Amino acid sequence: MAEHPGRALERNERWKAISSSLPITQNENGNGYFTILHGFRYDDFNRKGWMNLTSLSRTFDSTAIYRLPIFGDSNPSLGHFVAGMSYQITKELYKMANLNIKIALRLRLANFGKSSIVLYHILEDASSGKILASMFRTLVKVSMDTRRPEPLVPEERRHYEVLLSGSEELAAPRFRLPSVDRAECFSCELVVRNIELDSYHHVNYSMYLEYSAECAAQAAASGYYSKLKGDICAFCVKKASTSHLREARAGEKLTVITWEEPADPFVLYFIVVNKDTDIFHAMFEYYQPVEFSNL
C-alpha cells in the first residue's frame, strides 16, 4: 500500500532534521560533503573483535545523503531505491578501528545515468588522511506507485552536470553473479522481521548483508567451504559487491544460497530468493588469514 503523501513528506523532513544534526561541510568544488566522526561503537565489532561489514555500511550512511539533492526529497510520489553497492576495505581499517579513532567521511557524486546516480563514499583516518575503506552506492529514481524506474528530468540532469563539472567521473565496479548448480550449494532459510524494514516498508538494503553473513556463518560452521571453516567472524571481508533486484517485506520467508569461487575459495557468492525469485545477489572476498598474522 502506498504511503500517504502527507506522511511521506513528514518522514522526509524528519530524516533531514536527523541528518542536519551532524556537522557536515561542503567540498570546495561543491560536488560533495565531509564530516568527522569520533570513534566506532562497541556493537560495530563482531565477537572476534573485527569490524563487521553491515556496521561499516551504516557508518557510510553518516555522510547523510540528504545533503545532496536526491530525487523524491520533496515529491512523495517519487523515491530512491538502492540498486547496488561496492565496498573496498583495507587491512588498516581492521588494524586501526576502535572506539576512540577520529574518522573522516567523504561523499561525492561519482556519475549519473538515465534514471540513476552513483555516490562515492570514502572513510579516512582523520589524523593521517589514510583511506581505510570506500564504497560506491547506486541509487535509482523510482515511482512509489509503480515501483518502477523514472527518468531524470532535465532540471535534475543539469544539477548533476554542475556537481560533476571540474571533477573526474568515477565508475562503480561491475558485478555479475556466475552461474552455478544451486542443488550443490549451501542454503538456509530466514524470516523477515518487522524491525528490518526501512521507511519504504521493505527490507533495508543493509539487512541483506546480514542475511548473507548469517548464511556464511552457518556454511562455515558446517564445514561446507574448503578454506573458510569454523567461526566466520574470524575472517575479514576485503571486498564486497551487491545487486538489489526485488523487494521483500515483513513475514516473508527467504532462502539464502551460498557457494565459493572454485578458482579462489576466499571468494563467496550469495543469492537471496523470495518465492522462487532472486531478489539479491552478492560477492564477498575475504582476506586470507596469513595477511592478518601480524596484526
Side-chain angles (χ1 to χ4, degrees), residues 166-180:
S167 302
E168 179 186 4
E169 289 193 29
L170 303 175
R174 292 185 175 273
F175 165 58
R176 180 170 294 180
L177 197 74
S179 58
V180 67

Side-chain angles (χ1 to χ4, degrees), residues 62-79:
S62 299
T63 39
I65 62 173
Y66 290 93
R67 294 301 181 91
L68 278 177
I70 303 294
F71 20 76
D73 279 358
S74 58
N75 186 343
S77 68
L78 297 174

Side-chain angles (χ1 to χ4, degrees), residues 5-259:
R7 291 180 179 176
L9 287 175
E10 289 177 5
R11 167 177 52 80
N12 284 345
E13 290 304 314
R14 284 196 298 274
W15 280 115
K16 288 179 182 179
I18 292 170
S19 68
S20 65
S21 65
L22 188 67
I24 296 178
T25 304
Q26 191 169 23
N27 296 346
E28 290 184 2
N29 59 9
N31 80 332
Y33 297 84
F34 74 91
T35 189
I36 300 293
L37 297 180
H38 297 273
F40 295 103
R41 302 177 309 172
Y42 179 81
D43 58 2
D44 288 331
F45 301 87
N46 66 26
R47 57 179 167 266
K48 293 292 187 178
W50 299 121
M51 186 83 179
N52 70 68
L53 181 58
T54 304
S55 292
L56 177 62
S57 182
R58 290 171 175 162
T59 300
F60 279 121
D61 286 342
S62 299
T63 39
I65 62 173
Y66 290 93
R67 294 301 181 91
L68 278 177
I70 303 294
F71 20 76
D73 279 358
S74 58
N75 186 343
S77 68
L78 297 174
H80 53 272
F81 287 179
V82 174
M85 317 280 276
S86 180
Y87 306 82
Q88 291 206 24
I89 309 168
T90 68
K91 289 186 290 184
E92 284 73 17
L93 174 68
Y94 294 110
K95 180 178 181 179
M96 299 173 64
N98 59 58
L99 303 183
N100 294 313
I101 186 174
K102 191 176 182 181
I103 53 178
L105 285 166
R106 300 185 183 275
L107 165 70
R108 59 159 287 194
L109 180 67
N111 63 70
F112 66 94
K114 182 179 179 180
S115 59
S116 65
I117 65 172
V118 179
L119 303 177
Y120 182 53
H121 304 248
I122 294 176
L123 187 152
E124 300 175 349
D125 171 33
S127 300
S128 65
K130 181 178 295 185
I131 294 178
L132 303 178
S134 61
M135 178 187 73
F136 285 95
R137 180 203 311 253
T138 301
L139 300 175
V140 177
K141 177 183 178 182
V142 297
S143 163
M144 297 307 296
D145 295 323
T146 66
R147 316 296 261 201
R148 302 294 299 171
E150 288 283 325
L152 302 180
V153 298
E155 181 182 357
E156 291 170 326
R157 299 187 67 85
R158 286 193 297 269
H159 176 75
Y160 294 133
E161 286 170 356
V162 170
L163 286 178
L164 281 175
S165 61
S167 302
E168 179 186 4
E169 289 193 29
L170 303 175
R174 292 185 175 273
F175 165 58
R176 180 170 294 180
L177 197 74
S179 58
V180 67
D181 181 357
R182 299 189 183 192
E184 300 297 321
C185 298
F186 183 93
S187 66
C188 67
E189 291 189 345
L190 303 170
V191 176
V192 176
R193 301 177 301 165
N194 213 291
I195 199 172
E196 296 168 348
L197 306 186
D198 61 18
S199 57
Y200 291 130
H201 302 284
H202 62 207
V203 173
N204 181 271
Y205 73 90
S206 64
M207 289 309 307
Y208 291 97
L209 300 174
E210 291 277 325
Y211 298 159
S212 300
E214 173 60 25
C215 187
Q218 293 188 30
S222 73
Y224 172 77
Y225 301 131
S226 64
K227 297 293 185 181
L228 299 169
K229 295 180 180 292
D231 189 349
I232 198 66
C233 290
F235 302 94
C236 297
V237 176
K238 180 179 182 179
K239 297 179 182 179
S241 293
T242 70
S243 180
H244 298 260
L245 309 174
R246 298 286 189 276
E247 301 174 66
R249 300 181 182 278
E252 293 182 330
K253 182 182 291 186
L254 308 178
T255 301
V256 188
I257 300 169
T258 185
W259 71 100

